[in-house]
Structures are given as structure tokens and as C-alpha cells.
Amino acid sequence: AQSVTQLDSHVSVSEGTPVLLRCNYSSSYSPSLFWYVQHPNKGLQLLLKYTSAATLVKGINGFEAEFKKSETSFHLTKPSAHMSDAAEYFCVVSISGGYNKLIFGAGTRLAVHP
Amino acid sequence: SQTIHQWPATLVQPVGSPLSLECTVEGTSNPNLYWYRQAAGRGLQLLFYSVGIGQISSEVPQNLSASRPQDRQFILSSKKLLLSDSGFYLCAWSVPARGHEKLFFGSGTQLSVL
């Protein structure tokens, strides 16, 4: 069965420093993995997705994530945090088969300090 | 372009009262439609999905029901709300396709049951 574990419920960084949001997954076959961001009072937005192509995936707003099968990880990174990056981030596994079922992690709240 | 409308944005309801949340999609035909719920401190959970008018599938047993009276309308309902129904509800749609199609989310409804 598929599952997603986000290892940190809260991450706090200073503006201009790197961001690392950790995610581990469990899947019985090759998964599709996503990172979604949820800004306050806004809907979810897709940051990036991995679907068995290149293992290093580049997304919007300077974010990227690397799929590591040996570690069953899909950590989200950004070299330099911006104040506007403060939001809730969800790591997601997708199950295909006639409809698009997503399994969401519990989320990581990213705080960015001046 | 496609848009998704979800309302109301916030709702406070007493225990035992009925519920109706509405979601409509514009600019696409025969979308897959979804209702997700985000409980405090937890990731999103898929409640219902629909691949066509009158076709509703439930993912988890609960106090809620869903209906799809028109192709681009998806309604989440309850006859009697429970305290545990409090949470953030998101409607989403996707274009049916093989593989892992992208989900587009509405802006959500914050439901507080008191």
C-alpha cells in the first residue's frame, strides 16, 4: 500500500538560506510523486511532479526535488528562501487506475524569518 | 480557460444541522471531480470522487454524501453534522486520462461545527 511521511511538521528558516522539506514514501511499484503548496486562504498549487523521467525535478518558484529510489525519498529543496515561500507544503503519492487518487502527507509548515 | 468555483469560503454550523457545499467547474467537459478534507494537523483525505453524472464513489465511511446532478457540479452534503466533520474541504477536478493527470483545486471551505 502507498503511504507518505513528511518528517517535519514545522520548518523555520531565515530569508536567503536553503530550504529542505523531507518526504519519504512507501509504494509497491514505481510511484508518481508530487509536491503541492498551500498558501493561506488560497487553494493548493502544484509545485512539481515526478513521473519516472529525470530523477531531479525542477518546479516553480525555484523549488526542486530529487527522487531517490534507494532511500524512498523525495525531498523538496530551494537554494535561497524568500518570504513569500512561507506556506504549507504537501508531499503526495498518486495512485492511477481510472481516477486520480492522491495520498497526501500530513504537511510541513514552512516559516521564513527576515 | 478552466476555472473552479467553491463556496462558501467559511461556514459555522451547529451540531445536527444540515450541510451543503457546492463546487462548479467551467471551461471543460466531463471532468473527474473530487472532494477532499483536510483535518487539523493532517494531510488531505479523499472523501468522494466522480467520473460522470450520477456516478459517485466513496473512499471512506462517514457522515457525508456527495452528488453530481450536472456534468460540472459537485455537491457535498450532510443531513446532520457532527463535531468531527469540522475541517477544511477542497473540491478538485481533473481531465480524465491515462496515467497521472494534474489535479486543480478550488480555494476551499473552512467548516466549523460547534
Side-chain angles (χ1 to χ4, degrees):
Chain A
Q2 274 92 345
S3 66
V4 177
T5 302
Q6 289 183 244
L7 299 167
D8 307 293
S9 59
H10 291 84
V11 170
S12 182
V13 301
S14 298
E15 189 175 20
T17 64
V19 176
L20 170 63
L21 305 183
R22 299 183 293 166
C23 172
N24 286 100
Y25 69 92
S26 173
S27 176
S28 54
Y29 50 86
S30 296
S32 287
L33 295 161
F34 307 77
W35 276 97
Y36 278 83
V37 60
Q38 184 179 23
H39 287 277
N41 301 317
K42 293 186 178 180
L44 282 164
Q45 181 184 26
L46 180 65
L47 269 181
L48 50 81
K49 65 178 180 180
Y50 165 77
T51 55
S52 72
T55 56
L56 182 61
V57 182
K58 294 188 182 297
I60 61 173
N61 301 335
F63 283 95
E64 62 182 36
E66 186 172 7
F67 173 71
K68 292 187 176 179
K69 187 175 182 179
S70 61
E71 299 176 10
T72 61
S73 69
F74 191 57
H75 301 334
L76 182 70
T77 60
K78 183 173 180 178
S80 177
H82 192 273
M83 295 296 290
S84 61
D85 294 328
E88 187 90 18
Y89 292 81
F90 293 95
C91 183
V92 184
V93 169
S94 175
I95 301 174
S96 63
Y99 68 99
N100 192 359
K101 178 176 179 177
L102 302 183
I103 308 294
F104 282 75
T108 298
R109 180 158 294 277
L110 175 65
V112 183
H113 302 289
Chain B
S1 63
Q2 301 94 346
T3 56
I4 179 169
H5 302 282
Q6 185 180 342
W7 68 93
T10 59
L11 189 61
V12 180
Q13 291 284 97
V15 170
S17 64
L19 172 74
S20 180
L21 303 181
E22 189 161 345
C23 173
T24 59
V25 180
E26 297 178 357
T28 187
S29 297
N30 196 32
N32 286 346
L33 295 171
Y34 309 82
W35 277 109
Y36 280 85
R37 176 171 62 195
Q38 181 182 11
R42 300 173 63 183
L44 284 166
Q45 181 184 39
L46 179 62
L47 300 177
F48 301 96
Y49 70 93
S50 171
V51 298
I53 295 175
Q55 300 178 60
I56 309 295
S57 296
S58 175
E59 281 292 304
V60 293
Q62 57 209 317
N63 184 44
L64 303 167
S65 61
S67 62
R68 185 171 178 174
Q70 301 180 43
D71 180 45
R72 289 169 287 180
Q73 184 184 27
F74 205 25
I75 298 172
L76 184 69
S77 305
S78 173
K79 292 182 179 179
K80 288 185 178 181
L81 283 169
L82 305 173
L83 287 175
S84 58
D85 292 324
S86 293
F88 188 66
Y89 291 81
L90 279 166
C91 180
W93 71 273
S94 68
V95 176
R98 288 187 177 182
H100 311 278
E101 67 269 24
K102 180 177 177 180
L103 275 182
F104 298 89
F105 288 86
S107 55
T109 297
Q110 183 65 53
L111 172 65
S112 299
V113 182
L114 305 177

